[in-house]
Amino acid sequence: MTSTERSWTFLSNHGHVLVLVAREPGVLLSELSRRVGITERAARSILRDLESAGYLSRTRVGRRNRYEVHPDGPLRHPEESTAMVSDLLAIFPQ
């Protein structure tokens, strides 16, 4: 795939982070940011956004964080607000 073909995606970075954390609740911030293609600072900010909005919670396990996605929340955009996070996550295989 060329860089032109990868210039946009159907999900926002928030969506990518949510899907990845749902698949791998113990993912390291460095790995998360690498796989989504954003900085660690941006990944940390997105995780804070998702946590403060109630879409996930964070638990400290030793020196690492473990995340739990809360799939019963509605999607945020008015056009998709009748769908739940669980509907979005169901699209992507675990």
Side-chain angles (χ1 to χ4, degrees), residues 1-10:
M1 221 181 255
T2 67
S3 62
T4 304
E5 292 172 336
R6 296 187 66 202
S7 64
W8 64 274
T9 64
F10 282 103

Side-chain angles (χ1 to χ4, degrees), residues 28-54:
L28 293 173
L29 184 66
S30 58
E31 180 67 9
L32 175 78
S33 63
R34 185 190 66 75
R35 290 174 56 189
V36 173
I38 57 177
T39 64
E40 286 187 31
R41 183 177 179 184
R44 189 176 296 111
S45 177
I46 289 170
L47 288 167
R48 274 194 305 264
D49 288 347
L50 294 170
E51 186 175 11
S52 67

Side-chain angles (χ1 to χ4, degrees), residues 1 4 6 11 13 15 19 29 40 43 46 53 55 57 62 76 81 87 90-91 94:
M1 221 181 255
T4 304
R6 296 187 66 202
L11 295 180
N13 288 338
V19 168
L29 184 66
E40 286 187 31
I46 289 170
Y55 289 101
S57 56
R76 290 176 55 97
S81 63
D87 298 322
I91 296 169
Q94 296 287 339

Side-chain angles (χ1 to χ4, degrees), residues 59-73:
T59 305
R60 197 79 172 149
V61 179
R63 293 176 46 197
R64 297 181 67 171
N65 289 323
R66 183 159 186 84
Y67 301 96
E68 178 184 355
V69 172
H70 305 291
D72 296 332

Side-chain angles (χ1 to χ4, degrees), residues 7 16-17 20 23 33 41 44 53 61 69 74-75 78 82-85 88 94:
S7 64
H16 291 298
V17 167
L20 185 54
R23 284 184 190 157
S33 63
R41 183 177 179 184
R44 189 176 296 111
V61 179
V69 172
L75 298 181
T82 59
M84 306 302 272
V85 169
L88 174 67
Q94 296 287 339

